[in-house]
Amino acid sequence: MAASTVSTAVAGCATSSTCLNARIHPSTTSFTLPIKNPQKSLHITQSKNPISDIIATGKSSSGSDSIISFDGDDKPREECGVVGIYGDEEASRLCYLALHALQHRGQEGAGIVSVHDNVLHSVTGVGLVSEVFSESKLDKLPGDMAIGHVRYSTAGASMLKNVQPFVAGYRFGSVGVAHNGNLVNYQALREELEENGSIFNTSSDTEVVLHLIAISKARPFFLRIVEACEKLEGAYSMVFLTEDKLVAVRDPFGFRPLVMGRRSNGAVVFASETCALDLIEATYEREVYPGEVIVVDKDGVQSVCLMPHFEPKSCIFEHIYFALPNSVVFGRSVYESRRKFGEILATESPVDCDVVIAVPDSGVVAALGYAAKAGVAFQQGLIRSHYVGRTFIEPSQKIRDFGVKLKLSPVRAVLEGKRVVVVDDSIVRGTTSSKIVRLIKEAGAKEVHMRISSPPIIASCYYGVDTPSPGELISNRMSVEEIREFIGCDSLAFLPIDSLKGMLGGDATSFCYACFSGKYPVEPTGKVKRVGDFLDDGLSGSMESIDGGWLSENRNKEEGIKSTA
């Protein structure tokens, strides 16, 4: 798209039958930016954990069985969270706080990029936000603009090369980007770019976006983003930073959340969830609409349609599991959604019981809804430890269900001699659920009835969520009764998908249910990179070396995905 087509792009969106600009906040305007010739800027990177340190710590000691990595939740994982701030002298510190609020979306890496005197400053590191940043690190991030990112990786150790935000220099300056989502045409784009001479430094699909921006000839800068995004397929909620602009963009389907808010001093804030706005005292204004580009600079907040967009297909799992209960996601209260899920389970799958408990923390609100509807007391029958990392040392003499016991402790006074309903948000592989049932029965429960506040997960997600392959998903291989026998509970019920859609009402068609049906809004073409880094260090290995991390286009035949309504 050339610079001369700016007005055409806006007009084309405005005349669409699904006009996005018709819903634009009154404070926004269409784009009429003059063409500029910015001087090339620099970027400075400060990194925690140099590569040599990470490679060293990534190696286990002799007798590696004593050091194990534990993912006791056995849940789908959100890939990351993003934040962007424009117009506040403490932008990097506010960004740091906002990332704390988004820590649940990624715990293995974090980074912030700020701008000062036309220079992009970057600090990234492996670990939690509190581990990556210190007062001295934040002092190296001056300026009134910043973007940040928290990251979850799905294979091996988190490596510094792949921690965002990424910063790249090109002929007109420097640009930083933080991305939440997953591109289903990543491989095809990367191969095309490599054939034309591009050199990649990481295994992240986000780097493809930077290359597409760099080779674009469109002017002004935001049109480079538009041109790049026209080539992307899949899920992307992104924030970009240049020497004078903060840009937010969301894919045409709106798979992943992205909201906009404003602080009392006028600073504009973008974040994956409203809980981040709440922490830094920014007032929620609206979502970034699917297919929208918002540019914030000295001229104010300006909006343009990215491309003709489709019916939104927002990720329903944000309401089931990923988002915090105090967030508003896709215009709905997450707390209210989860409470209603529990009420539906109590109405449609009742059982005589003495107490209702939750698998903390994500099952708590649904359990409260179940208990209130069933007229049965809710109690804390499982206590969760929040001080257990993903790696710990196990005693040489094996303890059964050690990992789950380390995170969840049953309360015998609540459970002994009782008929217990246990509410959880999902069952993925089923291994953790079986251990939880066993813990509760060993604590003296007379009966254990599992109630799951989501439909059965039968298919992988390609849009920024880490789910196992279909063959690993227990609901893809077993009936509900077979799952009940496998996990050892007395009864088992899932949230019916028709009831879920009924609860959503008129918004039901605006959500993606691919993980429950195997029907994808954007069908992957060729091979699709699963979420996560299969070339972890970004330093060695070929594309062929990560074939295990790619999903075949013929996955429906190979994996035997079930198809449901």
Side-chain angles (χ1 to χ4, degrees):
M1 183 187 290
S4 62
T5 62
V6 178
S7 58
T8 304
V10 178
C13 180
T15 57
S16 168
S17 61
T18 54
C19 174
L20 183 150
N21 278 353
R23 296 180 292 156
I24 294 294
H25 192 275
S27 65
T28 63
T29 63
S30 61
F31 241 100
T32 55
L33 288 182
I35 295 176
K36 299 180 181 179
N37 293 304
Q39 294 181 346
K40 188 172 183 179
S41 61
L42 304 173
H43 69 268
I44 299 172
T45 300
Q46 300 285 340
S47 297
K48 177 182 182 290
N49 299 340
I51 289 291
S52 58
D53 291 348
I54 299 167
I55 292 174
T57 58
K59 297 177 181 178
S60 61
S61 60
S62 58
S64 58
D65 286 345
S66 64
I67 300 178
I68 62 175
S69 180
F70 169 62
D71 185 6
D73 292 326
D74 189 23
K75 301 292 183 186
R77 295 282 188 160
E78 171 61 89
E79 188 180 28
C80 54
V82 300
V83 62
I85 297 173
Y86 181 97
D88 196 295
E89 292 181 354
E90 290 197 295
S92 63
R93 280 170 165 73
L94 292 172
C95 202
Y96 163 79
L97 293 173
L99 292 179
H100 266 292
L102 298 175
Q103 186 76 85
H104 60 287
R105 299 183 77 89
Q107 299 88 47
E108 297 191 0
I112 295 175
V113 174
S114 70
V115 180
H116 182 63
D117 290 338
N118 287 340
V119 178
L120 272 64
H121 300 261
S122 174
V123 173
T124 60
V126 174
L128 299 175
V129 174
S130 59
E131 296 169 336
V132 173
F133 296 101
S134 61
E135 189 70 31
S136 62
K137 291 285 186 182
L138 291 172
D139 286 341
K140 295 172 182 176
L141 295 168
D144 65 355
M145 293 187 289
I147 60 173
H149 188 269
V150 287
R151 171 181 181 270
Y152 165 70
S153 71
T154 62
S158 288
M159 291 300 175
L160 187 57
K161 281 278 186 178
N162 288 316
V163 176
Q164 298 183 37
F166 292 151
V167 179
Y170 68 113
R171 57 180 173 163
F172 293 111
S174 295
V175 57
V177 60
H179 171 211
N180 177 23
N182 202 45
L183 305 179
V184 301
N185 63 337
Y186 163 76
Q187 186 193 29
L189 289 173
R190 176 164 176 158
E191 288 177 350
E192 179 182 343
L193 288 164
E194 287 179 326
E195 285 177 4
N196 292 323
S198 292
I199 298 173
F200 284 81
N201 197 41
T202 76
S203 61
S204 171
D205 54 358
T206 309
E207 192 177 4
V208 165
V209 182
L210 289 175
H211 281 273
L212 292 173
I213 290 172
I215 65 175
S216 171
K217 294 180 173 58
R219 304 284 293 276
F221 172 76
F222 91 94
L223 282 181
R224 294 177 180 273
I225 295 176
V226 171
E227 189 171 84
C229 289
E230 285 177 339
K231 300 175 183 178
L232 305 180
E233 295 177 7
Y236 52 91
S237 288
M238 296 184 285
V239 287
F240 296 87
L241 195 65
T242 69
E243 62 271 6
D244 64 346
K245 289 179 178 60
L246 174 64
V247 182
V249 59
R250 195 163 168 221
D251 70 79
F253 284 97
F255 286 109
R256 310 252 59 86
L258 191 62
V259 297
M260 182 175 76
R262 203 180 299 260
R263 283 173 46 81
S264 59
N265 62 358
V268 177
V269 182
F270 296 100
S272 292
E273 290 183 38
T274 58
C275 61
L277 305 183
D278 296 338
L279 181 60
I280 62 173
E281 298 181 339
T283 302
Y284 169 75
E285 290 193 353
R286 65 175 178 88
E287 289 186 275
V288 177
Y289 300 126
E292 183 182 16
V293 177
I294 299 179
V295 180
V296 188
D297 60 12
K298 61 182 178 59
D299 296 322
V301 179
Q302 301 166 335
S303 171
V304 66
C305 182
L306 172 64
M307 61 187 73
H309 60 288
F310 313 97
E311 183 175 56
K313 293 297 177 185
S314 304
C315 177
I316 189 61
F317 243 92
E318 292 286 349
H319 279 265
I320 292 171
Y321 176 67
F322 297 135
L324 287 184
N326 57 313
S327 286
V328 175
V329 176
F330 310 133
R332 287 177 168 267
S333 164
V334 175
Y335 187 97
E336 285 302 305
S337 293
R338 292 181 187 170
R339 182 181 61 81
K340 290 178 182 176
F341 295 157
E343 290 178 355
I344 292 170
L345 285 169
T347 301
E348 300 196 15
S349 304
V351 65
D352 291 334
C353 63
D354 304 307
V355 64
V356 176
I357 70 170
V359 177
D361 293 311
S362 55
V364 170
V365 180
L368 288 169
Y370 186 103
K373 194 71 173 179
V376 179
F378 169 81
Q379 296 196 49
Q380 280 190 284
L382 292 170
I383 306 299
R384 185 183 187 93
S385 170
H386 294 274
Y387 308 104
V388 179
R390 288 175 58 84
T391 304
F392 49 79
I393 299 173
E394 184 173 2
S396 55
Q397 183 175 345
K398 299 296 182 184
I399 297 175
R400 189 175 65 170
D401 304 334
F402 177 68
V404 171
K405 286 179 179 177
L406 203 62
K407 278 201 168 184
L408 296 174
S409 302
V411 182
R412 183 173 290 273
V414 172
L415 303 172
E416 193 167 22
K418 303 288 180 59
R419 298 169 298 174
V420 182
V421 166
V422 185
V423 181
D424 201 358
D425 58 88
S426 60
I427 295 180
V428 182
R429 295 182 179 89
T431 52
T432 299
S433 297
S434 65
K435 294 172 183 177
I436 289 171
V437 169
R438 191 155 57 237
L439 282 182
I440 294 170
K441 288 195 171 183
E442 288 175 352
K446 186 192 302 183
E447 299 174 6
V448 178
H449 303 275
M450 292 288 291
R451 294 295 180 267
I452 309 302
S453 60
S454 72
I457 301 172
I458 66 167
S460 298
C461 177
Y462 300 100
Y463 309 125
V465 178
D466 170 34
T467 48
S469 64
E472 297 175 82
L473 298 169
I474 192 169
S475 293
N476 183 266
R477 298 181 286 105
M478 298 183 183
S479 67
V480 174
E481 176 59 21
E482 288 170 335
I483 297 171
R484 184 200 66 76
E485 291 181 1
F486 177 82
I487 65 178
C489 58
D490 294 278
S491 73
L492 169 66
F494 291 85
L495 180 71
I497 192 164
D498 289 341
S499 300
L500 169 61
K501 292 179 179 179
M503 186 275 285
L504 295 170
D507 295 333
T509 57
S510 298
F511 285 89
C512 175
Y513 309 99
C515 54
F516 308 135
S517 67
K519 298 176 181 177
Y520 296 95
V522 182
E523 278 291 337
T525 56
K527 289 184 176 181
V528 180
K529 186 174 184 295
R530 286 169 64 180
V531 178
D533 305 313
F534 299 91
L535 184 59
D536 275 321
D537 58 11
L539 296 174
S540 60
S542 64
M543 293 297 289
E544 288 72 22
S545 71
I546 58 173
D547 270 349
W550 298 80
L551 302 180
S552 168
E553 62 181 327
N554 297 319
R555 67 191 183 287
N556 286 10
K557 296 179 182 178
E558 294 175 1
E559 303 282 10
I561 289 180
K562 299 176 183 177
S563 180
T564 64

